Amino acid sequence: MKLELERIVFIGRTFEEYIDMFSLSNEELKGKKLLDCPAGACSFTAVGSKNGLKVTACDIAYYYSVDDLKNKGLQDIEHAMEQMEKSKRNYIWNYFKDVEDLKKHRLSALKDCTNHMKKSSKSYVPVTLPSLPFNDEEFDLLLSAHFLFMYADRLDYKFHLKTLDELLRVTKEEIRIFPLVDLEGKRYEHLDKVIEYLTIQGCVVDEVKVPYKFQKNANSMLRIIKS
């Protein structure tokens, strides 16, 4: 079931943010099939494709038209920046100079994403997690940002496990998930259980510090390597 557009927040991060959030380099990405799930308005697919990378994005938002998503994204960025002014103390202002600088990054990601969606619609696949329309081990590396763990208040533990099972199914080598905290900046309460579950599945799992730090306590990713 696709969500009503009003219930979707269409805000994304830039390609450069992804490189830092997931501790990546362009060199290690070359030649790999990559999936950004869920990708939202992030520009990782757009800029990555321009740089010669093989990237696919998927998200529930892609059931809607590009123009509708662009308009929604512009509204969401305005609203988010108003809220950000009120909660600045919950963030670390090193990566971004100020709220205006943050807004420029969010607008840049939205522009790159929606422009690329018009040119290369096949790269943007509508999905409804915890189900994905891809083949087993179709992707070498899967990146998942600001979804799992973040919304622990509305996505229960069972949903997390079902989604992780599906991410593992479509991934051949490795999954990286960022961040490991909820919206309040607290470590996801079931993270140790998740790590134990993945380890029992035969995965090698590590919590890895990354160069990206904006939300307080959110500077680690989960690195899941399939055996």
Side-chain angles (χ1 to χ4, degrees), residues 24-66:
L24 296 165
S25 68
N26 276 312
E27 291 68 34
E28 70 181 298
L29 294 175
K30 279 177 182 165
K32 291 185 186 263
K33 276 195 82 176
L34 312 166
L35 180 64
D36 185 3
C37 173
C42 295
S43 65
F44 182 74
T45 300
V47 178
S49 298
K50 190 178 171 184
N51 293 346
L53 300 178
K54 302 175 195 170
V55 197
T56 300
C58 64
D59 198 285
I60 197 168
Y62 304 153
Y63 284 107
Y64 293 93
S65 74
V66 182

Side-chain angles (χ1 to χ4, degrees), residues 21 177-181 207-210 212 217-222:
M21 284 189 312
I177 302 171
F178 177 90
L180 307 184
V181 298
E207 292 182 54
V208 181
K209 286 273 192 290
V210 298
Y212 186 87
N217 305 319
N219 66 325
S220 296
M221 68 166 171
L222 202 65

Side-chain angles (χ1 to χ4, degrees), residues 159-173:
F159 177 89
H160 277 75
L161 292 190
K162 279 185 181 177
T163 300
L164 283 164
D165 282 340
E166 189 69 344
L167 301 187
L168 285 166
R169 182 186 69 77
V170 304
T171 308
K172 188 177 179 182
E173 297 174 6

Side-chain angles (χ1 to χ4, degrees), residues 92-144:
I92 298 154
W93 297 93
N94 293 332
Y95 199 91
F96 305 104
K97 288 182 290 186
D98 50 30
V99 174
E100 195 55 41
D101 186 39
L102 173 66
K103 183 178 180 180
K104 281 180 192 170
H105 280 76
R106 296 291 168 265
L107 287 170
S108 171
L110 178 66
K111 181 184 175 185
D112 287 342
C113 173
T114 51
N115 284 348
H116 190 243
M117 285 177 84
K118 287 180 178 177
K119 293 177 194 166
S120 183
S121 60
K122 287 183 181 176
S123 298
Y124 297 84
V125 181
V127 302
T128 307
L129 287 166
S131 179
L132 293 172
F134 305 116
N135 296 326
D136 293 357
E137 299 193 339
E138 187 169 336
F139 301 94
D140 298 307
L141 172 64
L142 186 150
L143 305 175
S144 187

